[in-house]
Amino acid sequence: MNHNKSELLSPADIELIHNTTMQLLVNVGVEFPDHEAIGVFKQHGVKTDGSRVYLTEEQLMKALETVPAQFTIHARNPDRNVTVGDGEPVFAPGYGAPFLVDYEVGKRAPTMEDYENLARLAHALPNQDLSGHLLVEPGDVPAGTAHLRMMHACMVHSDKPFMGSAAGKAGARHTMEMARILFGEEVGERPVTVGLINSLSPLGYSGEMLAALMEYARWRQPVIIAALVMAGSTGPITLAGVLALQNAELLAGIALTQLISPGAPILFGSTSTNIDMKTGALAIGSPENSMMIAAHAQMARHYGLPSRGGGAITDASCPDAQAGFESMLNLLTTVNSGIDFVLHAGGILSSYLAFSYEKFVLDDEMCGLVRRFRQGIAVGAPELAYDVMAKVGPGGNFLTEMHTVKRCRTEFWQPAVCDRGGLEAWMTGGRQDAVARARQRWQQLLAEHEDPPLETTTARQLQAFVEEHCSRPG
Amino acid sequence: MNHNKSELLSPADIELIHNTTMQLLVNVGVEFPDHEAIGVFKQHGVKTDGSRVYLTEEQLMKALETVPAQFTIHARNPDRNVTVGDGEPVFAPGYGAPFLVDYEVGKRAPTMEDYENLARLAHALPNQDLSGHLLVEPGDVPAGTAHLRMMHACMVHSDKPFMGSAAGKAGARHTMEMARILFGEEVGERPVTVGLINSLSPLGYSGEMLAALMEYARWRQPVIIAALVMAGSTGPITLAGVLALQNAELLAGIALTQLISPGAPILFGSTSTNIDMKTGALAIGSPENSMMIAAHAQMARHYGLPSRGGGAITDASCPDAQAGFESMLNLLTTVNSGIDFVLHAGGILSSYLAFSYEKFVLDDEMCGLVRRFRQGIAVGAPELAYDVMAKVGPGGNFLTEMHTVKRCRTEFWQPAVCDRGGLEAWMTGGRQDAVARARQRWQQLLAEHEDPPLETTTARQLQAFVEEHCSRPG
């Protein structure tokens, strides 16, 4: 197993970035536009000025002390539980895309039916560890209650862990109420979901996100606290500054969770990257994004915090070669860097604007490739195989050796969509590309899908909860 | 700058692999079917039996001592010289593809006109450091003299360093005679090319390759000595065994170069990978290939030898998403692993069977991405930008700050073919994919191409050399 981590920053770099973070926290402060949040900070002796919070290094470090280095997100099927922070990356599908890129028509608005299908696919794809939340934003259901339908879809079509809603306090509360029904018991302090809380760069949070953050913290449920600083617009154009800036936002938010519920699990998250200075558009397939992923993972280790970042992400608007190589640059860097939780591990196109069924299938294949790569090479006498090589000798062939035959089904990774048929078969097969093969695969996976068994009472209660709250929002 | 190398093997693994290599060299031996080669080994007290050579650890290590850790390949334009072994990867285009994958018709036989175009592209593409040799095998010129025309194309269409022919002793001699004309003087001991010598796995060499190897060694010109062991057919199915096997082949070949010309530059090369056990086909987009690349780079460091391996390589037969992500997995791993010379850095499709103009352009973009990624993040006071962040403050914007404006043209990597136009522009632009954009780029590069200036006398002499030897082969 390849345990060494990619180190982009030197120890001196890390110290400089941390010192700049502390200058920001002490002198500039972070905006928390929420009375309760300000109250919590005040109660712990933290300096505030209106909605502005100023943390000293001592206060910050004390708050970070209670963050757990590792935690398990429980699934309704315990075989599907995932552990965050154990050295192996957790893969979760893409999150938050307002559009879908459809094989036939290109850009279109996603529907609730798409969402249901994508939840089924998240269940079926072998390398996605969570079913997700907000896989796409369904355009044909009321926005105020869409989170209920989306959570319901993930709960019934999959027995993998699901992500929670961050639609304010109500979103978080609904998540926990539905989790209580799903698990058929008091959830207690067990993590049963994970919420995504984004900061509002530079140096702030929205009231809605703070409300969700505090609600999850009270339930002692894990939240990802993440920044998407855009270097050159919502942050400085230089990446070192962006690292210091997002640290300040994130660490202040994490401190708040620990002041509310010491020991509540959190993830130190970043999707910060540059903008394209020609167009002002977010650039997520850039080498700068990969550098930010690697550097953020190092900052997380420096603070002893579980990390979230990266994924199979691209600026391309269709699942083409660019989508392939940008996504792999980001994904492999993510995993090499030791990121613990990979939120956009499947489906994302067009700088987070779109989700694609085909890209989802292709990205899951990438996740499998990268997982196998990380397992490394076994080196023992059976694998060194001296006797076999001595027997076969110069000019011989190993194909029919027992050493080969015994291992031929298990030794190598097998692709699900990658083409190894060769040039001649590609020509006679009508020159199919990866998108065409991915399309066949997701259609087959959906055709074969069966919802994992769920007790009738539980299913009925979940359905009733959604119907009740959809008819009377809030 | 990111200087840490990916470490797949532990020191104990490396020792076990080396010990197995020595068992093979001492007890099983390597086939050198060439009287002169056997004579050289005998002369240095190496045990032989017919064409079989048996090296002791002492003999091997003594021979390896004289291998230079670093060398420069000179170009006719000194600004284009490349240094191998200085910690930065050298990128050379794909090599040896018998077919071309054409945008319009798919698989077809390459022509000499294709070769000329690809040599022009190798010159124009910003991340290819060499012009190449055997970019494709042109089907419309006589095979016996094709190497002369191919070298001529690289010499006149580019002033980057070129690779030499490995078509036996004559190929190597022609290379050096043409180099002498091109450089307009005695070449002396300066490396002016690099030849690719492949072993014949398991545990042997062909007579033709040995003849080229020895000729280059006498000229003190660099050669890549490389193995392509196919795990499961020409090598054991277990990668640890493959590493030991290729070490034995390669180190014996390298020893021969040093016994002939102590201090002659060499590269310790590998493209070994697995076969797909379902089809028997070579699998170069596999995670096993990436593991082999990383492990081979470590073995090279163990022996103190400059390394060659990896590249932007794939099993896909068209430049699709699979081609993109497999190529990036391999390329990024190559560079992260510290491989010195990346032979197939552009153009390869279909497990080395085909070259593609569009893939060449896309791979060069990947090389640029990876190079920028490796530069890492500058962390000094100007980049930490505390004052800028303090001034902008929570909720502000950095776009119009002088700190941003001054750096906006230089701070970030700029793509040449990657699409960052966004979803809407992609729709209105007719849903172009990366292949369509790559096609436009190579057509434009060819339209704009001008051969770098070459003295009329030199050009005439080169032309005359090729014509004379093409009319009277050998």
Side-chain angles (χ1 to χ4, degrees), chain A residues 275-286:
Chain A
I275 58 172
D276 186 293
M277 295 309 292
K278 282 189 190 161
T279 62
L282 191 69
I284 70 174
S286 65

Side-chain angles (χ1 to χ4, degrees), chain B residues 38-319:
Chain B
I38 294 297
V40 171
F41 280 119
K42 275 189 175 163
Q43 196 189 321
H44 287 83
V46 175
K47 177 180 157 192
T48 62
D49 178 8
S51 54
R52 190 77 59 99
V53 171
Y54 302 86
L55 281 154
T56 67
E57 183 152 15
E58 198 188 338
Q59 287 167 336
L60 178 67
M61 291 306 159
K62 185 151 178 286
L64 296 188
E65 268 173 19
T66 52
V67 173
Q70 186 177 315
F71 60 90
T72 296
I73 308 177
H74 295 262
R76 65 167 160 115
N77 174 356
D79 294 343
R80 303 286 201 175
N81 289 356
V82 300
T83 300
V84 176
D86 66 355
E88 287 306 306
V90 170
F91 292 132
Y95 187 107
F99 299 105
L100 199 85
V101 167
D102 183 292
Y103 184 83
E104 308 278 356
V105 303
K107 175 189 166 191
R108 70 168 171 82
T111 62
M112 196 59 215
E113 193 189 334
D114 289 314
Y115 195 96
E116 306 264 352
N117 282 337
L118 294 175
R120 292 181 184 106
L121 276 182
H123 179 68
L125 288 170
N127 293 296
Q128 303 299 307
D129 300 316
L130 283 88
S131 56
H133 182 67
L134 206 49
L135 295 153
V136 285
E137 288 180 9
D140 57 348
V141 293
T145 52
H147 64 281
L148 296 161
R149 297 176 200 271
M150 291 190 274
M151 279 190 290
H152 183 259
C154 288
M155 288 177 181
V156 299
H157 298 319
S158 176
D159 59 5
K160 294 179 179 178
F162 56 90
M163 292 187 65
S165 165
K169 185 173 180 167
R173 207 184 58 238
H174 290 156
T175 302
M176 294 314 298
E177 285 167 355
M178 288 177 74
R180 200 152 48 178
I181 298 170
L182 184 70
F183 283 79
E185 55 188 305
E186 280 310 307
V187 162
E189 297 211 344
R190 281 187 307 171
V192 291
T193 188
V194 54
L196 174 63
I197 306 298
N198 285 305
S199 63
L200 191 60
S201 300
L203 297 173
Y205 284 88
S206 73
E208 187 189 19
M209 283 290 174
L210 282 180
L213 177 153
M214 289 188 289
E215 185 67 10
Y216 279 121
R218 285 187 206 102
W219 287 87
R220 301 187 67 77
Q221 291 298 310
V223 283
I224 300 163
I225 303 188
L228 199 181
V229 182
M230 299 192 283
S233 85
T234 62
I237 193 167
T238 45
L239 300 184
V242 174
L243 287 164
L245 183 74
Q246 72 177 11
N247 274 350
E249 296 170 6
L250 299 173
L251 296 175
I254 292 169
L256 178 59
T257 65
Q258 301 303 303
L259 297 181
I260 294 170
S261 275
I266 62 88
L267 281 146
F268 180 62
S270 167
T271 50
S272 299
T273 186
N274 63 308
I275 57 171
D276 187 293
M277 296 309 292
K278 281 189 190 160
T279 62
L282 192 69
I284 71 174
S286 65
E288 288 79 14
N289 193 11
S290 275
M291 289 189 272
M292 283 297 296
I293 293 167
H296 177 71
Q298 283 189 265
M299 294 309 305
R301 280 197 290 286
H302 174 72
Y303 293 118
L305 302 172
S307 58
R308 173 256 165 157
I313 50 181
T314 181
D315 298 313
S317 290
C318 60

Side-chain angles (χ1 to χ4, degrees), chain A residues 104 107 202 232-233 238 241 276 287-288 320 322 369 383 394-395 397-399 403 413 419-420 424 431 434 437, chain B residues 104 107 202 232-233 238 241 276 287-288 320 322 369 383 394-395 397-399 403 413 419-420 424 431 434 437:
Chain A
E104 308 277 357
K107 176 190 167 192
S233 87
T238 44
D276 186 293
E288 288 79 14
D320 61 1
Q322 176 190 345
L369 263 169
E383 292 86 17
N397 198 296
F398 292 75
L399 205 50
H403 181 263
W413 181 79
D419 179 21
R420 292 180 175 175
E424 211 49 58
R431 295 158 63 183
R437 285 193 308 281
Chain B
E104 308 278 356
K107 175 189 166 191
S233 85
T238 45
D276 187 293
E288 288 79 14
D320 61 0
Q322 176 191 344
L369 265 169
E383 292 86 18
N397 197 296
F398 293 75
L399 205 50
H403 182 264
W413 179 80
D419 178 22
R420 292 179 175 178
E424 212 49 59
R431 296 159 63 184
R437 285 194 308 282

